[in-house]
Amino acid sequence: MGVVGVVHQSCPGYVNEPFASLAGGYPGGEVYPAEDFRVEWGPIFHRGRLDGTARVLVLGQDPATHEAISRRILVGEAGQRLQGLLAKVGISQSYVMLNVYLYSLYGQGGGPRQLKNAPITDYRNDWLDALLTTTDITAVVALGDLATTAYTAWAAGRPSVANGLHLSSIRHPTYAEGAARGSGRPLAETTAEQLANWNEHLPALAAHLEPEAPVDLTPYGTIWASGDLALIPERDLPAGTPVWWRDVAAWAVRSGKDAQQKRATITVTVPKGARTWPPLPK
Ligand code: URA
């Protein structure tokens, strides 16, 4: 028996159909070109409920470093910002998340270019069919342009299902950083723009969801405030994962002195706040 009183929760993974077959039949490097994707880190499928209890589907873009280690998507800072958004509309566990791509994008231009890749699209649409055609999901949140394009392409082929779903097409959770880098505009400006965009979409999203926790539609400010980000729930990650994998302090970073080594290396570091071991000899 374990420690009395502590019952941990975890994601059971891909045990039931159709998800067992979807995970078993994932496309590899023959479909996802290694020039555009970090296929060497393996596919990362989802986060959240696959048992029919999801009420909202979130479509993200592609996994990053934290996701490559935790094997669930939207776990790093982008995921924590999104988790905070879901909390505002009263959703604490009834969600499921997919990315447009199973593998992390590599280099420039692959994101839009690979949206036209038919086998990639077919496999993504199989997941969307599995999650949206026979469930009680009432709303879809698309994070950024790639997700919106991928979702609307799926929706065009399934109009009778899609007509019953509310679509919140919002800025990607790390839009502000990307836009500041790409345009030279101050991060403060792009952050304010992103949060204003999220504020615009909050009321309609809330109106199309049945909340399971208190709703708090207090708008975001112009900068991220404490409390805007939320911890990733324990039940979302595989059994036995450390608490700090779900926390906001970054713990995984690509490192290396050149492109070869950087592509081959993710450095995982226990954040200072999680170093609970006794003092070590110097
Ligand atoms: N991590 C993900 O899994 N998806 C995103 O879109 C961003 C970060």
Side-chain angles (χ1 to χ4, degrees):
M1 293 295 284
V3 178
V4 177
V6 180
V7 178
H8 290 283
Q9 298 178 315
S10 58
C11 173
Y14 311 99
V15 282
N16 296 321
E17 292 298 347
F19 306 105
S21 295
L22 282 168
Y26 70 81
E30 73 291 352
V31 164
Y32 273 87
E35 295 77 26
D36 282 339
F37 295 99
R38 302 175 192 271
V39 283
E40 62 279 6
W41 290 93
I44 308 155
F45 299 106
H46 99 297
R47 176 157 76 83
R49 313 287 81 74
L50 296 179
D51 59 1
T53 61
R55 298 290 173 270
V56 55
L57 177 131
V58 178
L59 190 58
Q61 187 176 296
D62 67 307
T65 49
H66 293 80
E67 291 78 16
I69 305 299
S70 66
R71 311 313 296 174
R72 294 294 181 271
I73 69 163
L74 287 159
V75 165
E77 186 149 19
Q80 312 225 355
R81 289 176 179 177
L82 170 71
Q83 202 72 37
L85 178 99
L86 293 177
K88 276 184 176 287
V89 293
I91 295 295
S92 58
Q93 55 180 321
S94 299
Y95 51 80
V96 65
M97 304 174 187
L98 295 180
N99 275 330
V100 169
Y101 296 120
L102 284 180
Y103 303 90
S104 195
L105 283 159
Y106 183 79
Q108 301 294 314
R113 186 165 58 242
Q114 294 295 340
L115 272 180
K116 298 184 203 100
N117 182 320
I120 291 179
T121 303
D122 291 348
Y123 181 77
R124 179 197 312 123
N125 286 348
D126 286 347
W127 272 87
L128 290 171
D129 284 345
L131 288 167
L132 293 173
T133 52
T134 58
T135 55
D136 295 333
I137 289 176
T138 55
V140 173
V141 180
L143 306 179
D145 294 342
L146 292 183
T148 300
T149 306
Y151 174 75
T152 44
W154 171 86
R158 314 283 188 284
S160 58
V161 184
N163 286 343
L165 296 168
H166 171 74
L167 172 62
S168 268
S169 181
I170 65 173
R171 295 270 198 235
H172 188 274
T174 55
Y175 163 85
E177 284 78 2
R181 249 194 327 269
S183 67
R185 287 159 63 208
L187 180 60
E189 193 179 306
T190 55
T191 300
E193 186 183 309
Q194 167 172 345
L195 293 173
N197 170 269
W198 283 22
N199 284 336
E200 258 168 51
H201 287 88
L202 271 177
L205 178 60
H208 289 86
L209 287 171
E210 199 169 310
E212 59 196 351
V215 175
D216 177 4
L217 296 182
T218 309
Y220 289 96
T222 52
I223 56 171
W224 292 106
S226 66
D228 285 346
L229 276 67
L231 194 75
I232 306 301
E234 185 179 47
R235 63 166 66 83
D236 286 12
L237 294 191
T241 54
V243 178
W244 48 271
W245 282 19
R246 304 187 282 112
D247 207 350
V248 72
W251 49 267
V253 66
R254 293 191 203 282
S255 54
K257 59 177 173 22
D258 55 27
Q260 275 294 338
Q261 217 176 355
K262 215 166 175 187
R263 182 154 175 171
T265 314
I266 293 177
T267 300
V268 173
T269 307
V270 179
K272 287 218 169 71
R275 298 179 191 174
T276 50
W277 51 78
L280 299 176
K282 296 242 172 187

